[in-house]
Amino acid sequence: MRYSKQRECIYRTVMKSDSHPTANMVYSALKTEYPKLSLGTVYRNLNQLTDVGRLKRIPLPDGGCRFDGTTFTHSHIICETCGHVADVMVPPLIDLEQAIQRETDYTLSSFDLVLYGQCALCHQSGNTLS
Amino acid sequence: MRYSKQRECIYRTVMKSDSHPTANMVYSALKTEYPKLSLGTVYRNLNQLTDVGRLKRIPLPDGGCRFDGTTFTHSHIICETCGHVADVMVPPLIDLEQAIQRETDYTLSSFDLVLYGQCALCHQSGNTLS
DNA sequence: TAAAATAATAATAACAGTTATCGTTATTGA
DNA sequence: TCAATAACGATAACTGTTATTATTATTTTA
């Protein structure tokens, strides 16, 4: 993996963001400073950085996906009203592997826990989607 | 919601399938018997049935999504090699709500637990993706 | 250090899954 | 039975993402 200015910017943008940005959010954040940046470049680099393990991919139920610079094991809670994504450390799911072995013939390798709810802002302001 | 022959077929196809079919799988399963069936109709009805709560949507990490006629609370384990999706009853995540309250300001409403691994067939045959 | 080799880029086309449009058909309630 | 309208089929459009290709930038090595 060769150095590139674009990759460094893209990586730093994800790292310094606390909003688990999408590819498009990264692109928007950078296009003012680097007007010639291509959206394809953003996707390519986010994927490469993910493959290499420097970023994590968060697939969303609507098909989109977000990127996370946090590497330690954690889950995400998504506000069903405004779409904000927050980090959560969940208690270790100790019984999980035993349950898998009991109920299926699968070999477990990893899991994604995605929580849904409403963030404090949307909750207190009574916002809804409809 | 008005009756339609197409909706009934689509619903029954998901219910009797054990493979958590995609919209396209439902379409393929029915197009021989109903050659004039439109893929748009399949999507429209799967979405309607999901909105009404008669089906559940399983969003996959690759952006695709599958549908499930099982209504009771359960999770899914996905074979990373062949893509097969199996049902799993996971032990109740008792400490989850407390962890959310401790760490975030979100109100929890639901969660999706998606497990990844390898099914017995792929495991014993040594299959890999690459 | 200069030149060759080749990753990475920008621009853009292509692609997959899904949703929207619209004229037609089928269900339903009066 | 017939008017109102939900649902349909066919197809266009849309969204998020990946592939292509000619060009540019980084790295290797002579």
Side-chain angles (χ1 to χ4, degrees):
Chain A
M1 209 181 196
R2 199 176 265 194
Y3 172 85
S4 88
K5 190 176 186 176
Q6 290 88 337
R7 182 176 301 131
E8 185 176 328
C9 291
I10 289 164
Y11 179 63
R12 283 220 308 260
T13 301
V14 177
M15 289 306 283
K16 78 180 177 203
S17 166
D18 59 347
S19 62
H20 308 79
T22 62
N24 206 52
M25 288 161 82
V26 174
Y27 176 67
S28 300
L30 289 171
K31 75 178 169 191
T32 322
E33 191 176 357
Y34 306 93
K36 289 185 72 65
L37 180 69
S38 172
L39 181 57
T41 300
V42 175
Y43 274 104
R44 191 173 351 96
N45 280 291
L46 290 174
N47 286 337
Q48 286 178 162
L49 291 164
T50 301
D51 290 347
V52 162
R54 292 174 65 188
L55 294 180
K56 266 187 75 178
R57 201 190 309 271
I58 315 170
L60 300 186
D62 67 356
C65 100
R66 287 161 169 266
F67 292 88
D68 191 343
T70 311
T71 54
F72 61 80
T73 300
H74 66 289
S75 298
H76 297 100
I77 182 161
I78 302 174
C79 177
E80 289 174 310
T81 306
C82 71
H84 189 260
V85 180
D87 290 319
V88 195
M89 296 286 297
V90 295
L93 307 177
I94 38 170
D95 298 331
L96 210 52
E97 207 146 358
Q98 293 172 21
I100 305 306
Q101 288 188 347
R102 195 169 52 239
E103 294 185 44
T104 77
D105 49 7
Y106 274 65
T107 311
L108 182 65
S109 70
S110 67
F111 65 87
D112 271 341
L113 176 60
V114 181
L115 305 137
Y116 302 96
Q118 205 172 30
C119 72
L121 249 76
C122 288
H123 190 66
Q124 65 193 34
S125 65
N127 285 345
T128 55
L129 270 185
S130 50
Chain B
M1 210 184 197
R2 197 178 268 194
Y3 171 86
S4 88
K5 190 176 185 175
Q6 288 89 338
R7 182 174 302 130
E8 185 177 329
C9 291
I10 289 163
Y11 180 63
R12 282 219 307 260
T13 301
V14 177
M15 288 306 283
K16 78 180 175 202
S17 166
D18 58 348
S19 62
H20 309 79
T22 62
N24 206 53
M25 288 160 82
V26 174
Y27 176 65
S28 300
L30 289 170
K31 77 179 168 192
T32 321
E33 191 175 358
Y34 306 93
K36 289 186 72 68
L37 179 70
S38 172
L39 182 57
T41 299
V42 175
Y43 274 105
R44 190 170 354 97
N45 280 291
L46 289 174
N47 286 337
Q48 286 178 163
L49 291 164
T50 301
D51 291 346
V52 161
R54 293 176 63 189
L55 294 180
K56 267 188 75 178
R57 200 189 310 272
I58 314 170
L60 300 186
D62 66 356
C65 101
R66 285 160 170 268
F67 291 87
D68 190 344
T70 310
T71 54
F72 61 81
T73 300
H74 67 288
S75 297
H76 296 100
I77 182 160
I78 302 174
C79 177
E80 289 173 310
T81 305
C82 71
H84 189 260
V85 179
D87 291 318
V88 194
M89 295 287 298
V90 296
L93 308 177
I94 38 172
D95 298 330
L96 209 52
E97 208 146 358
Q98 294 173 20
I100 305 306
Q101 288 187 348
R102 193 170 54 240
E103 294 184 44
T104 77
D105 49 7
Y106 274 64
T107 311
L108 181 65
S109 69
S110 67
F111 64 87
D112 270 342
L113 177 61
V114 181
L115 305 137
Y116 302 96
Q118 205 172 30
C119 72
L121 248 78
C122 288
H123 190 66
Q124 66 192 35
S125 65
N127 285 344
T128 55
L129 269 184
S130 51

